Amino acid sequence: MNKKLFLILIGLILSVMTFTMCKSQSQSVPSTPKEALAELIAGNERYSNNKSIHSHGDMDRVTETAPHQAPFAAVVGCSDSRVPVELLFDQGIGDIFVIRTAGNNVNSEMVMGSVDYAIEHLGVKLLLVLGHGSCGGVTGAISEGEEEHGNIGHLLGTIRNDVSEYVGKIECLDAAIHHHTQVQVERIIAYPHVAEKIAKGELLVKKAYYDVNTGKVTF
Ligand SMILES: [Zn+2]
C-alpha cells in the first residue's frame, strides 16, 4: 500500500470514529436524576474548558424534536445575558426546559406554573435553580437608596423578601445570591407533589451557582 492511500485510509477511519463518538453522545438521554445531573456537570466541564461539542443543534434535531419535546432537565435561571443556560451546559434543542426571569425567583404563580409543567407534564428528572455571580436582580434587591416603582419594584420586592437579612449589605452580595437560590429550592420542594416525586427517586431538585468570570457551575 502506498503512503498516500494509507493516509487517506487513516483519515477515513478517524472520521468514522469521531462521527460514532458524537452520535452516541447525542443519543444517550439521561433517564434518572443521577444521570441528568452527571450530564449537566459534564456539559459545563466541556463548556468551561472550551471543549463544547454543540450536539443537538442542527436541523436533524429540529426535525426529530418537532412532534414533541422530552427534556431531561429543567433549569430556573436568571435572564442575565451572561447566563445562557443551554450554552453553559453544552446542551442543544430539546434537552433542557429553561425558565428565566431576572433574579430567578419562583415566588409567583407564573413561574411556579412553568416549574410544575416541567415536572408534571414533561417528567424532567432534574430541576436546577441556577444563581449566578454579579446578579443584578439580587443586587437591586439588597441595595438601599432610590426605590424602583412599577413592575421592576414588584420584582425587586419579591426577591428582597427572600434576602431581607442582606438588605443594606452589598458587600455580602455573593452570600445573598447563594441564600436566595437556596430559598427557591426550599420553596419548590415544599410543594407536596414535588416532595412525593423526590421521595420516589423520580426527581432531584438542586441549587447551583454560575461564575460569570470562569464559566464554571458549582453544584
Ligand atoms: Zn441575575
Side-chain angles (χ1 to χ4, degrees):
M1 187 187 303
N2 69 37
K3 197 177 168 188
K4 198 175 169 188
L5 188 62
F6 177 74
L7 287 173
I8 290 171
L9 262 175
I10 291 291
L12 261 173
I13 290 166
L14 283 175
S15 304
V16 170
M17 278 172 69
T18 308
F19 176 76
T20 310
M21 278 165 64
C22 292
K23 203 73 181 164
S24 64
Q25 265 170 324
S26 69
Q27 281 177 341
S28 64
V29 181
S31 59
T32 65
K34 204 176 159 190
E35 285 176 14
L37 181 62
E39 175 55 33
L40 292 193
I41 291 172
N44 180 252
E45 194 68 22
R46 294 193 296 272
Y47 170 78
S48 58
N49 286 297
N50 235 358
K51 289 180 177 165
S52 290
I53 55 174
H54 304 292
S55 63
H56 292 171
D58 58 11
M59 286 310 295
D60 283 349
R61 182 64 170 172
V62 171
T63 306
E64 186 191 336
T65 54
H68 73 280
Q69 61 167 328
F72 66 87
V75 176
V76 179
C78 184
S79 303
D80 194 302
S81 60
R82 298 165 295 177
V83 192
V85 176
E86 280 94 342
L87 281 179
L88 63 92
F89 287 117
D90 193 22
Q91 300 298 315
I93 297 158
D95 293 332
I96 317 178
F97 187 83
V98 182
I99 303 154
R100 290 176 72 172
T101 67
N104 53 268
N105 190 293
V106 302
N107 194 14
S108 100
E109 288 168 353
M110 288 283 284
V111 181
M112 262 318 289
S114 300
V115 169
D116 277 344
Y117 182 76
I119 294 173
E120 296 288 308
H121 291 271
L122 300 177
V124 295
K125 307 297 173 209
L126 170 68
L127 177 72
L128 201 66
V129 182
L130 183 66
H132 70 95
S134 309
C135 183
V138 180
T139 302
I142 66 171
S143 298
E144 286 179 317
E146 203 178 318
E147 287 285 310
E148 292 275 2
H149 295 285
N151 292 323
I152 299 177
H154 178 73
L155 172 83
L156 295 182
T158 303
I159 299 172
R160 189 174 297 129
N161 286 337
D162 287 344
V163 288
S164 52
E165 59 266 57
Y166 293 97
V167 173
K169 297 178 187 168
I170 195 67
E171 69 280 8
C172 301
L173 175 62
D174 238 31
I177 291 166
H178 281 282
H179 177 74
H180 181 253
T181 315
Q182 182 61 33
V183 172
Q184 308 320 307
V185 168
E186 285 164 14
R187 181 167 283 135
I188 293 166
I189 64 177
Y191 284 93
H193 63 285
V194 178
E196 194 185 323
K197 281 201 172 273
I198 295 170
K200 284 182 183 168
E202 295 170 1
L203 174 72
L204 178 65
V205 180
K206 217 171 158 53
K207 90 185 204 4
Y209 174 90
Y210 177 68
D211 187 327
V212 295
N213 297 294
T214 63
K216 283 191 184 296
V217 174
T218 45
F219 294 85

